[in-house]
Amino acid sequence: MGGFFGVTSKNDCVLDIFFGVDYHSHLGTKKGGMALHSKEKGFQREIHNIENTPFRTKFEDDLYEFEGCVSGIGCISDNDPQPLLVRSHLGTYAITTIGAINNAEELLQAEFDKGHQFMSRSTGNVNETELVASLINQRSDLISGIKYAQEAIEGSVTLLILTEDDAIIAARDKLGRLPVLIGKDEEGYAVSFESFAYQKLGYEKDYELGPGEIVKITPEGYKTLQPAGEDMKICAFLWSYYGYPNSNYEGVNVEVMRYKNGEIMARDEAARGTLPEVDYVAGIPDSGVPHAMGYAQESGYTYARPFVKYTPTWPRSFMPINQTERNRVAKMKQIPVCELIKGKNLLFVDDSIVRGTQLRETVEFLYENGASSVHTRSACPPIMYGCKYLNFSRSTSDMELITRSTIAELEGEEGLKHLDEYSDPQSERGKAMRKAICEKLHFASLEFQTIEGLCQAIGIEPCKLCTYCWTGKE
């Protein structure tokens, strides 16, 4: 995943970009970058590794170099180093992208056949943002190039381009899988993935791009260069998992949705007769917490925090790629409140269950501290498919998903024909999968939110939500 932020202003906007990008640190842990421009200095750019050091710490010493810049873009990236500076017949510009390119090798081969070449990373892969820029440069202007790139790419691409005339061109994915929002103040405009980022910096919400819309932003205002399309498939996971609590997408606040989602889960469980008797309901920090608070409110159980995360020396950005080390770091962050664990029956709500590895570690940690039972609830439906559009999970194969590996253990290839049944909590296959996961991860019981309940909590027409990772339907 990743996030971006940009500003074009009548005056120096360096600090706004610095803090605006930093407010997207929850969306990525590998690379951070800023590209700024002024007529006197031209383009200035810095990219740093942020795997073990927060964005702010890495970029504080670079701020004096950017001083005086009146426009800029920046990003947090879990994939490639960016923004990139590009020089072509379209001029010099900076570009940053978010998305996933599933046909990258096919597109690269087509470029090679034309005699084009790319810089290779140490992995042998090509920076996908460079590939997007190459596609854009095949047309006579930036707007035609962006449209061409978005049509050629199988997957998704949302981007910002900073031009030599201090304008920012923002382009939302053709199906609007991610948000792009514009805020304004007296000096200019900000464009952002997260709405709270510019609001915290004193900008007022002004506009939200529609699917496929392309907008040019200057200090004086913004102009739509390509109107929005009618079809939208915004990622539903924005609300249930990786969106920041203060943000709003399509007019729906993340935190409010999560409370409502938890309430719906408890309501539906009570109706099915699967609500267990517990002493406390708790959330897996951080994004599981509001789901759990809604669940507790509706169920009538007491909400509690049986453990807390120790974060002063374990910042969010420290997240090793190695799964064993990731599990160890996650476990070391957890500090128990033994009085709320020993001898207690607990129900934990997590935002999702992907591989289940860290959740198993958490449950074992609770039993080690004396819990009598640990029930688990997932705030989203069973994840049956890897995401093809956003790369928000580190899973490289569908078989890494706890659901798919469990189904394979239950009935091999035959199980792939019945994924819908396995998602259904009322079906025999659904019950068998849940029982098997409970045994594997040591849960006293397990339930998932339904796709209907999730869509109800978001409150947007289901046809406008991307639910591919749960349903497999595009």
Side-chain angles (χ1 to χ4, degrees), residues 165-202:
D165 60 353
D166 292 314
I168 295 175
I169 296 174
R172 190 174 178 185
D173 172 74
K174 60 186 178 182
L175 287 176
R177 297 188 187 278
L178 291 177
V180 180
L181 303 106
I182 297 175
K184 68 175 181 179
D185 69 2
E186 295 180 355
E187 302 295 333
Y189 290 82
V191 58
S192 182
F193 179 117
E194 295 284 24
S195 62
F196 84 91
Y198 61 69
Q199 291 170 337
K200 185 65 177 176
L201 295 169

Side-chain angles (χ1 to χ4, degrees), residues 262-263 266-267 270 275-276 278-281 292-303:
E263 291 175 350
R267 178 201 70 190
L275 201 65
V278 297
D279 296 296
Y280 300 120
V281 170
M293 293 177 75
Y295 190 103
Q297 177 70 27
E298 180 66 21
S299 66
Y301 290 128
T302 301
Y303 179 82

